[in-house]
């Protein structure tokens, strides 16, 4: 994206505060014009009252003007300070408000992304975009833009004033300016790639830290602390070096700019002195030149710094904009329909094939089956055969490459996405509980349910027993920074959470793998006696779970290898039969 588009994007996000920002810019211009007042009045005082032929007369007879001018100087200085103060407040307010808008928008945007997005971006990188990069954008609004306006205004206003006083001297001074611009442009070319690199290194550093914090158990289990510290150290050194490199880039240009800037007073002294001697310049005018020469030199000095910050903004905003404009691929189709009440829960897969975008080979081939409302479908198969991939197609986490999936006789694409998902209760293979109470976790998808209902769903999931035994019962905080739960306990809470939305379709991905056989039996009884109808798709390896299913699907390498009831599959003497034998303790020959 072009630079001016980035500025336009910034402007668009200032909505509601644009007027105020324009006032802020005018404020900057105003206080830079006010810069001139004190040196100008000094010049008038010098020429009228202290030097020149009428000085003695003026001092005698026009004393009131003299005092008036002194008072005006004091008054204008105070006024200028007030303007600067208010102006800074305006920039701060606008930048914070804009930041707030962008941050909210980005967060919303991220929440609505699909699975592919989350497998593509690393958490550390996303966090960097939402923190450091956004701060660079705030800095642009509050400081960089102000400094650009200030520098150009100060330079422009002072130069104009100089030209009015003595154009020859002003022209001599202004000739130094283009040299500085050339240096700054060269600097920009060198520093821009450095800022992009710096930003990448920072994101990498954040990623390492984030993965380490969330993976601390693994680090400890393998006693890899030293290795991790070393890994972090490498990243840190790398980041620090890039930081230094970026800073040194400016330091290489700095002496050149500084020399030009310092030449200003020298040129003034030499040429201005000559003019003064030859009577081309009054003493007061010379004093005004000399009192304002910094207002010419400083903007030039600042340009390097401004350019540096501008490049930081450029690198950061490119990252933020990428996120700002990404659209999820899986969205409602234009003619998507509302779901009237509850779905009945009939699921049909018709020749569905599926491939992950980054994979070479498809993981599902030509899957066809039907689940009638209220049916229980068990899916079995070796690890990696595509079970999880298959069930993820139902809530449209991914889109099949070919074939179609129908629910209640309609392609799932014809339903509104959020409504479709609200009808599906999913307990995923990796259980994630929020740092919240058990009650809060169970009612996550349906926050309106009563305490009794939460208890009821926990009973269906054989979780009520262990929850009630906890000191704070359903109010116990679990998840990150909460009390620890066993794998099986977490699974049961996640099952209760899936049930609590009273879904038309319940999908359990290995949800009872970590519970003992007796508890599993209780859960099965619970699921058979639910007080609402739902179609259940259960991924499981245990025959005890699958044997009562209406249909068992055995997957192998992404294809349906066997399909039928327990009895039918046993009669086939295939894969299922072997598993039954194995689990009964019989060797398979
Ligand atoms: N796969 C990917 N990308 C993913 C997830 C999985 O390429 O984001 C591959 C890995 C595997 C295949 O897809 O070869 C099927 O994975 P799936 O998770 O569907 O396997 P599973 O049957 O659920 O295995 P498990 O029993 O271990 O859960
Ligand atoms: Mg799986």
């Amino acid at each position: 994206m072009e630079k001016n588009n980035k500025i336009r994007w910034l402007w668009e996000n200032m909505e509601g505060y644009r007027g105020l920002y324009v006032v802020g810019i005018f404020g900057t211009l105003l206080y830079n014009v006010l810069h001139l007042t004190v040196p100008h009045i000094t010049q008038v005082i010098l020429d009228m009252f202290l030097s020149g032929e009428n000085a003695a007369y003026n001092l005698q007879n026009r004393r009131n003007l003299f005092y008036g001018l002194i008072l005006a100087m004091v008054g204008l200085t105070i006024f200028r300070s007030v303007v600067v103060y208010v102006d800074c407040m305006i920039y701060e307010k606008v930048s914070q408000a804009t930041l707030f808008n962008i941050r909210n928008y980005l967060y919303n945007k991220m929440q609505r992304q699909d699975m592919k997005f989350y497998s593509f971006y690393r958490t550390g990188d996303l966090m960097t975009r939402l923190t450091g990069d956004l701060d660079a954008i705030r800095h642009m609004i509050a400081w960089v833009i102000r400094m650009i306006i200030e520098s150009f205004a100060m330079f422009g206003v002072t130069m104009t004033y100089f030209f009015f006083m003595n154009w020859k001297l002003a022209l001599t001074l202004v000739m130094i300016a283009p040299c500085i611009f050339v240096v700054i442009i060269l600097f920009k070319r060198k520093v821009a790639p450095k800022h992009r690199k710096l930003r990448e290194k920072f994101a990498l550093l954040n990623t390492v830290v984030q993965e380490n914090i969330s993976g601390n158990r693994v680090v400890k289990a393998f006693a890899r602390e030293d290795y991790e510290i070393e890994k972090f150290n490498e990243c840190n050194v790398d980041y620090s070096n890039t930081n230094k490199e970026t800073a040194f880039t400016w330091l290489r240009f700095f002496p050149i700019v500084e020399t030009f800037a310092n030449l200003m007073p020298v040129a003034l002294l030499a040429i201005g002195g000559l003019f003064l001697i030859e009577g081309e310049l009054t003493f007061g005018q010379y004093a005004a030149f000399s009192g304002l020469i910094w207002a010419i030199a400083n903007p030039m000095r600042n340009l390097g710094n401004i350019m540096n910050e501008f490049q930081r903004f450029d690198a950061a905003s490119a990252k933020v904009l990428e996120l700002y404009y990404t659209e999820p691929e899986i969205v409602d189709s234009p003619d998507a329909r509302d779901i009237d009440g509850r779905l009945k829960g009939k699921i049909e897969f018709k020749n569905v094939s599926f491939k992950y975008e980054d994979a070479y080979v498809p993981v599902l081939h030509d899957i066809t089956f039907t689940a009638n409302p209220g049916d229980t479908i068990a899916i079995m198969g070796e690890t990696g055969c595509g079970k999880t991939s298959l069930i993820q197609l139902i809530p449209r986490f991914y889109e099949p490459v070919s074939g179609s999936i129908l629910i209640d006789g309609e392609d799932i694409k014809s339903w509104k996405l959020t409504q479709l998902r609200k009808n599906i209760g999913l307990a995923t293979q990796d259980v994630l509980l929020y740092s919240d109470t058990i009650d809060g976790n169970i009612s996550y998808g349906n926050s309106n349910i009563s305490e009794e209902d939460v208890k009821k769903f926990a009973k269906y999931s054989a979780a009520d027993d262990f929850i009630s035994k906890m000191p704070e019962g359903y109010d116990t905080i679990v998840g990150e920074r909460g009390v620890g739960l066993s794998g099986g306990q977490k699974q049961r809470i996640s099952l209760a959470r899936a049930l609590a939305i009273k879904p038309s379709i319940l999908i359990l991905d290995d949800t009872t793998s970590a519970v003992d056989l007796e508890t599993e039996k209780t859960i099965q009884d619970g699921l058979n006696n639910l007080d609402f109808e739902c179609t259940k798709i259960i991924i499981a390896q245990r025959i005890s779970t699958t044997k009562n299913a209406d249909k068992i699907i055995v997957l192998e390498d992404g294809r349906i290898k066997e399909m039928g009831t327990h009895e039918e599959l046993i009669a086939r003497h295939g894969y299922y039969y072997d598993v039954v034998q194995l689990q009964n303790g019989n060797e398979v020959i």
Side-chain angles (χ1 to χ4, degrees), residues 356 358-359 363 382-389 398 429 510 541:
Y356 288 102
D358 51 357
V363 290
E382 286 168 7
T383 171
C385 67
K387 304 180 294 293
T388 303
S389 308
Y398 296 97
Q429 199 166 8
D510 246 353
Q541 296 302 339

Side-chain angles (χ1 to χ4, degrees), residues 231-436:
K231 197 164 93 186
F232 175 77
N233 198 28
E234 267 172 37
C235 275
N236 201 7
V237 166
D238 206 20
Y239 174 62
S240 165
N241 285 343
T242 316
N243 231 334
K244 273 186 248 165
E245 228 178 89
T246 316
F248 286 158
T249 313
W250 171 233
L251 286 184
R252 274 208 301 282
F253 285 89
F254 176 71
I256 311 173
V257 173
E258 194 59 22
T259 308
F260 282 122
N262 286 340
L263 276 179
M264 292 272 178
V266 179
L268 176 71
L269 197 71
I271 301 161
L274 266 178
F275 280 20
L276 190 62
I277 294 166
E278 285 175 9
E280 283 251 6
L281 201 68
T282 67
F283 185 58
Q285 282 173 335
Y286 181 82
F289 264 102
S290 140
L292 276 173
I293 193 74
W294 65 269
I296 298 289
N298 274 11
M300 296 186 169
R301 281 198 186 96
N302 285 345
L303 275 185
N305 209 355
I306 292 170
M307 187 52 86
N308 212 8
E309 293 296 331
F310 202 95
Q311 293 311 316
R312 184 161 89 94
F313 160 77
D314 201 47
S317 60
K319 293 290 170 183
V320 171
L321 278 166
E322 191 185 315
L323 208 60
Y324 196 91
Y325 287 116
T326 38
E327 290 296 338
E329 278 172 23
I330 300 175
V331 288
D332 281 340
S333 59
D335 51 355
R337 286 188 291 127
D338 286 309
I339 293 174
D340 242 354
R342 268 169 68 83
L343 287 171
K344 291 195 182 65
K346 180 172 182 182
I347 307 168
E348 291 163 87
F349 271 60
K350 290 190 173 167
N351 309 101
V352 172
S353 294
F354 169 67
K355 181 176 105 56
Y356 288 102
E357 207 151 293
D358 51 357
Y360 296 108
V361 284
V363 290
L364 294 172
H365 307 263
D366 204 20
I367 305 285
T368 302
F369 72 90
T370 304
N372 288 315
D375 269 3
T376 299
I377 307 285
I379 302 180
M380 289 184 97
E382 286 168 7
T383 171
C385 67
K387 304 180 294 293
T388 303
S389 308
L390 188 149
I391 54 112
Q392 284 185 338
L393 299 179
I394 303 172
R396 288 186 71 199
F397 289 163
Y398 296 97
E399 218 86 273
V401 180
S402 61
S404 54
I405 301 168
L406 280 63
I407 291 185
D408 290 4
E410 298 275 352
D411 195 306
I412 46 174
K413 287 184 197 161
S414 60
W415 302 117
K416 288 219 169 118
L417 193 58
T418 44
Q419 294 186 17
L420 170 74
R421 289 180 181 166
K422 274 190 197 302
N423 272 275
I424 300 174
L426 173 64
T428 51
Q429 199 166 8
D430 310 312
V431 179
L432 180 113
L433 298 180
Y434 285 99
S435 21
D436 193 355

Side-chain angles (χ1 to χ4, degrees), residues 98-115:
T98 311
L99 187 71
F100 180 83
N101 284 346
I102 299 178
R103 194 188 284 131
N104 254 349
Y105 184 88
L106 283 185
Y107 188 73
N108 267 318
K109 196 86 198 211
M110 255 170 46
Q111 282 294 312
R112 292 178 202 291
Q113 293 300 326
D114 40 37
M115 295 277 182

